[in-house]
């Protein structure tokens, strides 16, 4: 892996100084997305692009570089000039992929400048109606009685749906069989068909089937109950406080971006995420809206990298 300066440290706005807000881009800014159009990262990027452009007084375009679970886009941005004109709408996969793949050409912490965490959403643990478990503790008991006999689907090896299920297995001291699919949608279809028994699911995709009573919710992995499903307890309420997990998205750039550039981009990102129509738009889609400062996002990314690296190591997960 290349090693660059640890640009994510010490980027707080408090140390920015009055001159930092004066930076402005001299040409269009690209937001690179490592996933297909219409996916969560792409949706968020397109919601904020025009609003960022208004504040930066420069065009902001979204560019999809799809493939390898986001690794193609991440490598491209890591190699870009650190001048603020090439950014990435990063997802949780940025820090998780590094623990999954031994020979990535970039480091998820050292090779990126954190700008702002934009959104997050917890997962919701759901089961097929045929599963005789009414809460998370009962699901754990069922899995203990049938080692490997309880299956859970995911959007693929190393995805948040997979890793959260693996973390549950570690915390509950039990074993469930992971069944990876080529995305969350086919995993959801398999759950409806009874081909898998559970999913640590995206609440947006799970919502229609939950409201129709086709699947049963057991818990949400956030620190608080979801407004959309206030009757569903948190994992902490069900006896698994260590299972708190969220899928997040944020804005990053290449390492070694000048402090004035990072500060200005963090400032405008926070302004955009505070807009009522942006919050309402993303809120309707199930996202929690943030807009954190660069230093706060840097700390969060480091903590997420360490946490999921530990889960992957302990669960002995390998890329396929």
């Amino acid at each position: 892996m290349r090693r660059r300066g640890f640009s994510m440290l010490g980027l707080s706005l408090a140390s920015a100084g009055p001159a930092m807000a004066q930076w402005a881009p001299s040409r269009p800014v690209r937001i690179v997305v490592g996933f297909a159009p219409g996916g969560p990262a792409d949706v968020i990027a397109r919601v904020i692009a025009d609003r960022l452009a208004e504040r930066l007084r420069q065009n902001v375009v979204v560019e999809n570089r799809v493939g390898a679970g986001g690794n193609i886009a991440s490598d491209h941005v890591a190699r870009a000039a650190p001048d603020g004109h090439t950014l990435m709408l990063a997802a949780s996969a940025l820090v998780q992929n590094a623990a999954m793949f031994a020979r990535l050409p970039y480091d998820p912490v050292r090779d990126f400048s954190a700008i702002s965490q934009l959104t997050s959403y917890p997962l919701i643990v759901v089961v097929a109606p045929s599963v005789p478990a009414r809460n998370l503790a009962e699901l754990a008991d069922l899995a203990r009685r049938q080692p490997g006999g309880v299956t859970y689907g995911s959007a693929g090896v190393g995805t948040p749906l997979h890793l959260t299920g693996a973390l549950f297995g570690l915390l509950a001291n039990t074993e469930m069989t992971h069944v990876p699919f080529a995305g969350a949608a086919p995993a959801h279809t398999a759950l409806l068909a009874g081909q898998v028994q559970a999913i640590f699911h995206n609440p947006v995709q799970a919502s229609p089937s939950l409201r129709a009573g086709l699947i049963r919710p057991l818990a949400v992995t956030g620190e608080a109950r979801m407004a959309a499903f206030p009757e569903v307890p948190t994992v902490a309420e069900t006896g698994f406080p260590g299972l708190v997990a969220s899928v997040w998205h944020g804005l990053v750039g290449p390492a070694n971006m000048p402090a004035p550039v990072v500060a200005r981009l963090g400032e405008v990102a926070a302004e955009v995420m505070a807009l009522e129509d942006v919050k309402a738009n993303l809120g309707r889609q199930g996202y929690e809206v943030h807009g954190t400062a660069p230093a706060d996002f840097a700390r969060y990314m480091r903590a997420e990298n360490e946490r999921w690296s530990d889960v992957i190591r302990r669960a002995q997960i390998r890329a396929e």
Side-chain angles (χ1 to χ4, degrees):
M1 290 186 182
R2 297 188 307 278
R3 291 294 183 262
R4 304 184 181 182
F6 202 178
S7 66
M8 293 177 67
L9 291 174
L11 295 177
S12 67
L13 293 175
S15 63
M20 288 201 167
Q22 302 305 311
W23 177 82
S26 59
R27 60 183 185 277
V29 174
R30 291 185 302 146
I31 300 179
V32 179
V33 177
F35 304 94
D42 180 74
V43 168
I44 296 166
R46 295 181 190 280
V47 166
I48 69 171
D50 288 345
R51 297 311 185 87
L52 288 173
E54 292 169 1
R55 283 154 180 77
L56 294 172
R57 299 188 177 184
Q58 185 59 262
N59 289 336
V60 176
V61 296
V62 177
E63 176 183 319
N64 297 87
R65 286 182 174 255
V66 181
N71 288 338
I72 291 174
S74 298
D75 184 44
H76 173 75
V77 173
R79 295 173 182 271
D83 57 9
H85 294 89
T86 301
L87 310 175
M88 182 168 71
L89 205 298
S92 307
L94 176 64
V95 298
Q96 293 167 345
N97 283 350
M100 290 291 302
F101 299 92
R103 293 182 177 84
L104 285 181
Y106 63 85
D107 182 283
V109 173
R110 294 184 180 90
D111 287 347
F112 295 92
S113 297
I115 295 170
S116 181
Q117 182 187 353
L118 305 178
T119 66
S120 66
Y121 59 82
L123 299 179
I124 184 164
V125 189
V126 297
V127 296
S130 60
V131 175
R134 298 289 169 177
N135 55 56
L136 209 54
E138 290 182 1
L139 182 65
D141 289 339
L142 181 65
R144 292 190 195 100
R145 294 197 304 270
Q146 304 174 25
V150 176
T151 59
Y152 72 100
S154 82
V157 175
T159 60
L161 279 62
H162 175 203
L163 297 184
T164 305
L167 177 58
F168 172 68
L170 293 171
L171 294 172
N173 192 28
T174 189
E175 179 184 346
M176 297 194 302
T177 297
H178 172 233
V179 183
F181 293 87
H188 184 89
T189 300
L191 181 69
L192 294 176
Q195 296 170 355
V196 294
Q197 294 166 288
I199 300 180
F200 294 77
H201 214 340
N202 174 337
V204 176
Q205 290 176 298
S207 180
S209 295
L210 284 169
R211 299 195 186 284
L214 299 176
I215 55 179
R216 185 166 63 250
L218 301 185
V220 295
T221 64
E223 295 181 346
R225 295 192 180 199
M226 292 184 65
F229 301 102
E231 74 284 359
V232 181
T234 66
V235 289
E237 291 177 271
T238 63
F240 298 93
L243 192 58
V244 175
S246 294
V247 176
W248 53 264
H249 294 89
L251 204 60
V252 304
N256 298 322
M257 287 172 60
V261 178
V262 174
R264 178 59 178 156
L265 289 170
E267 178 184 84
V268 297
E271 290 175 0
V272 168
M273 301 313 289
L275 294 172
E276 290 301 324
D277 64 326
V278 170
K279 291 191 292 185
N281 187 339
L282 294 173
R284 283 193 299 270
Q285 300 180 63
Y287 296 103
E288 296 178 9
V289 177
H290 301 290
T292 63
D296 294 331
F297 188 31
R299 283 190 291 269
Y300 181 70
M301 286 180 64
R302 288 199 302 274
E304 284 284 279
N305 183 44
E306 293 168 3
R307 181 189 190 202
W308 292 111
S309 294
D310 180 64
V311 170
I312 289 166
R313 177 186 58 78
R314 291 166 59 201
Q316 300 181 359
I317 298 171
R318 297 289 181 267
E320 295 182 354

